[in-house]
Amino acid sequence: MAKDLSFTCSACGAAFSKWAGQCEACGSWNTIAQEGPLSTGPVGKTLGGKRGKGLPLTDLATEEPDPPRTEAGVEELDRVLGGGLVKASALLVGGDPGIGKSTLLLQAAARFARNGLKVIYISGEESVAQVQMRARRLGLEKSPVRLAAETNLRDILTTLETEKPDLAIIDSIQTMWADTVDSAPGSVSQVRASAHELTSFAKRKGMAVIMVGHVTKEGAIAGPRVVEHMVDTVLYFEGERGHQFRILRAVKNRFGPADEIGVFEMTGKGLAEVRNPSALFLSERGKPAPGSVVFAGIEGTRPMLCEIQALVAPSPTAQPRRSVVGWDGGRLAMILAVLEARCGVAFAGLDVYLNVAGGLKISEPAADLAVAAALVSAREDAALPPEAVVFGEISLSGALRPVVQTENRLKEAQKLGFTSAIMPQLAKKQASGGMELRQMSDLAGFVEAIFGPRGARE
Ligand code: TYD
Ligand code: MG
């Protein structure tokens, strides 16, 4: 008889014939649980040798219109959703505890309700009174959003079945408890089962569901990445605690572009949308100073200028510090190495601090040149021309590579009053719209052109 592989690991999906504390395949602890007999039957004999029925196949073309969408009327949110909330879709909104997810979703719930959707908000973390107090503080107490505080998934689904809302908000998925699963709320199998039930319920009933998920220290939505695969759209709500900016980022979207962002500002009365983030991110900029560079970036489909700051100081220790906020530490090490190897600008014995102003997180390689410029500017104690923006990717050879959406970057820079761009050599001529384009082919040439020849600097 074939082995009964009814124990599976909820982290990696490996199947075992008996329970164990640690999964042999992926090393996770406490992830193995019995899943009931596998329906696929003995391994090697497909589906136990039984025949299913043939599937009707169709063309790719369809007469069906696109699924209906409802806009919140908040441009920053609608853009991230790809043009509004899609009927019968499942969304996951992740973010650190305390970052503002509940506030965002209560405000969104009120907006959708105002635009004609029947909205139910289920809080598993706060009492009804707490959510009502928040609603009052946000000035939303008159909104027709229906509210309950509950964690029992069976009761929640029954309520949704009778109430038939267009949108249900579940805050949070980690607090949900399905009585069919024999483990504590927040455990991987509970979260997975709850998310699966809610998602398939939403698809069956034509309801949209938004689930809140807390994020672990490592940045994954707590427990199972499987939830990310189940849903149509994954949004992350991010920002630095000490800053008032918050960014809603689409990391996956079956109904729109991924990597799209919406920018919000935290206020005493909740989140306010920020239509012109470049102006906001640059508003705190003081006088042009050594180590400060304006980077012309792109987030999703929208250009965004921000300030990159570097500080370089003699290190008191044998192991100089490399501290970076808002950018990738590995990428910083690479830029430092290229500056040293290709341009003769050494950082040995110096502490290096790099910061993206305003709590923004940048992942574009196009920021390489702006980072290098900030580092050299800080080290040489020489400010860059204040009217210039900088962008470009740096290769290990020290060559500068052109980046995508050059035109959009230039336009945004010009809109904010900048008159020149320091950037990689373009393959073909580009409409500059009156901007002075200082095109450079390699990093050494850039350092020399901006900070003077090497001999003069030493
Ligand atoms: P909350 O929405 O509860 O965060 P999360 O659900 O992600 O854990 O917000 C955390 C705190 O921040 C809460 O005390 C309210 C406060 N807050 C504001 O005062 N203004 C705002 O605009 C936001 C978003 C939050
Ligand atoms: Mg919350």
Side-chain angles (χ1 to χ4, degrees), residues 141-205:
E141 71 266 46
K142 299 253 166 54
S143 163
V145 174
R146 308 292 290 154
L147 172 67
E150 185 51 66
T151 57
N152 184 324
L153 192 66
R154 192 176 293 277
D155 294 349
I156 291 171
L157 289 177
T158 307
T159 312
L160 296 179
E161 185 136 41
T162 36
E163 295 285 334
K164 299 193 175 50
D166 303 302
L167 167 64
I169 294 174
I170 307 292
D171 185 3
S172 67
I173 191 67
Q174 274 101 352
T175 55
M176 291 300 128
W177 178 73
D179 54 21
T180 48
V181 179
D182 198 15
S183 58
S187 65
V188 178
S189 36
Q190 275 290 358
V191 170
R192 187 167 66 149
S194 304
H196 177 72
E197 286 292 338
L198 283 161
T199 306
S200 56
F201 180 88
K203 301 275 161 194
R204 263 196 331 270
K205 304 284 177 183

Side-chain angles (χ1 to χ4, degrees), residues 7 25 35 50 76 204 251 257 349 382 384 412:
F7 291 86
E35 296 267 289
K50 269 197 226 128
E76 296 297 308
R204 263 196 331 270
V251 293
L384 254 75
E412 179 80 356

Side-chain angles (χ1 to χ4, degrees), residues 97-98 100-103 121 123 125-126 134 171-172 212 214:
K101 300 180 294 299
S102 301
T103 310
Y121 187 105
S123 177
E125 299 195 337
E126 290 159 298
R134 167 175 294 142
D171 185 3
S172 67
V212 172
H214 292 294

Side-chain angles (χ1 to χ4, degrees), residues 83-410:
L85 183 70
V86 176
K87 188 179 153 89
S89 62
L91 292 85
L92 181 68
V93 176
D96 289 323
I99 206 76
K101 300 180 294 299
S102 301
T103 310
L104 174 77
L105 289 176
L106 193 59
Q107 288 184 274
R111 289 298 194 128
F112 284 122
R114 198 171 75 185
N115 291 351
L117 295 191
K118 178 168 178 183
V119 185
I120 293 187
Y121 187 105
I122 309 277
S123 177
E125 299 195 337
E126 290 159 298
S127 68
V128 166
Q130 280 174 311
V131 182
Q132 285 169 334
M133 254 159 61
R134 167 175 294 142
R136 184 181 313 144
R137 206 182 58 238
L138 300 173
L140 300 174
E141 71 266 46
K142 299 253 166 54
S143 163
V145 174
R146 308 292 290 154
L147 172 67
E150 185 51 66
T151 57
N152 184 324
L153 192 66
R154 192 176 293 277
D155 294 349
I156 291 171
L157 289 177
T158 307
T159 312
L160 296 179
E161 185 136 41
T162 36
E163 295 285 334
K164 299 193 175 50
D166 303 302
L167 167 64
I169 294 174
I170 307 292
D171 185 3
S172 67
I173 191 67
Q174 274 101 352
T175 55
M176 291 300 128
W177 178 73
D179 54 21
T180 48
V181 179
D182 198 15
S183 58
S187 65
V188 178
S189 36
Q190 275 290 358
V191 170
R192 187 167 66 149
S194 304
H196 177 72
E197 286 292 338
L198 283 161
T199 306
S200 56
F201 180 88
K203 301 275 161 194
R204 263 196 331 270
K205 304 284 177 183
M207 172 190 88
V209 60
I210 302 180
M211 296 174 273
V212 172
H214 292 294
V215 167
T216 58
K217 278 195 236 53
E218 299 82 46
I221 288 187
R225 297 223 76 137
V226 276
V227 177
E228 298 196 11
H229 299 301
M230 261 181 232
V231 295
D232 301 306
T233 302
V234 179
L235 309 178
Y236 271 86
F237 201 43
E238 46 186 51
E240 293 291 321
R241 276 192 186 234
H243 290 278
Q244 78 266 40
F245 315 120
R246 291 289 179 268
I247 290 177
L248 186 65
R249 186 188 297 274
V251 293
K252 160 182 171 179
N253 195 351
R254 287 187 186 144
F255 305 114
D259 264 335
E260 198 63 86
I261 67 161
V263 183
F264 297 88
E265 186 178 4
M266 264 177 57
T267 72
K269 287 196 139 312
L271 294 156
E273 55 179 332
V274 175
R275 293 283 180 84
N276 189 345
S278 299
L280 189 75
F281 285 121
L282 293 183
S283 65
E284 292 176 349
R285 200 162 64 109
K287 283 205 305 282
S292 154
V293 169
V294 177
F295 165 54
I298 297 279
E299 290 286 348
T301 56
R302 111 201 290 201
M304 192 143 84
L305 303 192
C306 63
E307 184 189 357
I308 292 182
Q309 305 163 338
L311 176 68
V312 174
S315 178
T317 65
Q319 278 273 343
R321 276 185 73 108
R322 302 285 183 250
S323 163
V324 38
V325 178
W327 208 52
D328 178 39
R331 199 89 192 166
L332 172 66
M334 183 206 111
I335 304 281
L336 290 172
V338 174
L339 278 171
E340 174 145 15
R342 311 290 177 200
C343 316
V345 183
F347 288 85
L350 297 171
D351 284 340
V352 173
Y353 300 87
L354 187 82
N355 180 29
V356 180
L360 206 62
K361 283 198 188 74
I362 298 183
S363 53
E364 261 196 299
D368 289 354
L369 187 58
V371 168
L375 291 170
V376 182
S377 163
R379 187 182 179 282
E380 303 295 325
D381 200 27
L384 254 75
E387 74 291 345
V389 296
V390 182
F391 58 88
E393 185 178 342
I394 298 174
S395 71
L396 287 179
S397 67
L400 298 186
R401 292 206 200 109
V403 294
V404 293
Q405 302 204 39
T406 297
E407 202 172 336
N408 281 343
R409 294 176 204 266
L410 294 175

